[in-house]
Amino acid sequence: MVAQARGASGDRRKWIIGVSAVVVVVALVIGGVIWTIADRNRTEGQVINPGASTSALTGDVTQKRDGVVAIVGKTGAKASIDVYADFLCPICGEFEKQYKSQIEQAINDGKLQVRYHMVPLLNERSSPPGYSLDSANAALAAANAGKFLQFHDALFASQPEEGKRGYDKAQLIELGKNVGITDPEFAQTVNAGTYDQQLNAAFQQIENDPKLAQDFGGGQRGFGTPTVTANGSIVSWQDPNWLTKVLG
């Protein structure tokens, strides 16, 4: 009887330990899921920092929209470049960190005009999808208000991670207000997705333009962001002196 009692007690301890292990595993799984969701949605409710935009353009720099292109520069600038980028693209973010100051200095000096093409290349790569297109549309609305570069710089400085949540329309509208846009048409344009159809149509043309195709190795060739062109040819922006060469 004593042996039986000890055996039963041992079985009960094993059962308790087994249940405890299962509870710990379940807790870890649930905790991991909650952490993953929180990490994925960390931009939710955030105010995009307008102070992250260090754009300091001089007063005679023109910022305007031309179709689905934002043009920034002074009248009479001798050099011009086209920059194709996506607000979600991490390499575009690196490009901005590396060359933003040089580009904006050349704009201020009256040496350079920049045509910004914000393309929805990664529109399906945010969670939920749509951030690339929403931000591109909002940037064009900011160009209408003469605040494109301030808006552009702030979005790249506080860039969301690819594969995670971007910023919603309300957050984009709030950023517009915080960079000095007072025209109520800005919010209307953002909410309506006014330029969405035009942006998608332009993107299809860009993707199919052989002049914008590049080799990525492994037999892969096509359009990618960021792409910079000058005088109709692709510029190798990985060369630290590319802008000096463009300016002549």
Side-chain angles (χ1 to χ4, degrees):
M1 292 296 292
V2 174
Q4 289 179 350
R6 287 178 178 173
S9 178
D11 290 343
R12 185 168 181 274
R13 281 197 299 271
K14 291 178 183 178
W15 179 82
I16 291 172
I17 292 170
V19 171
S20 299
V22 171
V23 170
V24 169
V25 170
V26 171
L28 288 172
V29 170
I30 293 173
V33 170
I34 292 173
W35 181 86
T36 300
I37 293 173
D39 181 60
R40 187 187 68 197
N41 295 331
R42 65 182 177 179
T43 60
E44 188 171 7
Q46 286 186 3
V47 175
I48 307 167
N49 182 11
S53 166
T54 56
S55 174
L57 299 181
T58 56
D60 52 347
V61 172
T62 299
Q63 301 191 64
K64 63 182 180 180
R65 180 182 63 84
D66 180 15
V68 289
V69 179
I71 302 176
V72 182
K74 292 184 179 181
T75 302
K78 293 182 178 180
S80 66
I81 59 173
D82 286 70
V83 177
Y84 299 80
D86 184 318
F87 282 117
L88 190 62
C89 164
I91 303 177
C92 298
E94 290 301 316
F95 172 82
E96 288 298 320
K97 288 177 184 177
Q98 191 168 354
Y99 296 113
K100 171 180 126 57
S101 296
Q102 295 177 45
I103 290 173
E104 292 182 11
Q105 185 61 57
I107 291 173
N108 279 334
D109 291 344
K111 297 178 180 179
L112 181 69
Q113 182 184 80
V114 184
R115 293 171 50 85
Y116 290 93
H117 306 251
M118 304 314 301
V119 295
L121 175 68
L122 301 177
N123 202 46
E124 300 301 316
R125 296 298 299 274
S126 59
S127 179
Y131 173 67
S132 293
L133 187 59
D134 285 347
S135 55
N137 174 69
L140 292 176
N144 287 338
K147 295 288 186 179
F148 170 80
L149 207 56
Q150 291 86 341
F151 193 86
H152 165 278
D153 288 358
L155 284 185
F156 272 121
S158 300
Q159 186 180 44
E161 290 186 49
E162 182 180 349
K164 298 180 181 180
R165 184 185 183 278
Y167 297 111
D168 60 32
K169 291 180 178 181
Q171 290 169 297
L172 295 171
I173 290 169
E174 185 68 17
L175 173 61
K177 294 178 182 177
N178 290 335
V179 298
I181 299 175
T182 58
D183 189 342
E185 187 176 344
F186 172 76
Q188 296 168 10
T189 301
V190 174
N191 281 325
T194 300
Y195 301 114
D196 287 1
Q197 187 173 353
Q198 296 175 58
L199 283 162
N200 282 327
F203 178 47
Q204 288 184 351
Q205 292 181 346
I206 288 167
E207 277 195 306
N208 295 319
D209 187 342
K211 293 181 180 179
L212 296 175
Q214 301 181 66
D215 290 316
F216 299 106
Q220 295 185 351
R221 181 174 175 80
F223 171 76
T225 55
T227 293
V228 181
T229 66
N231 300 316
S233 299
I234 292 177
V235 172
S236 178
W237 60 265
Q238 292 85 354
D239 175 0
N241 299 314
W242 70 270
L243 184 55
T244 301
K245 294 176 181 177
V246 167
L247 296 175

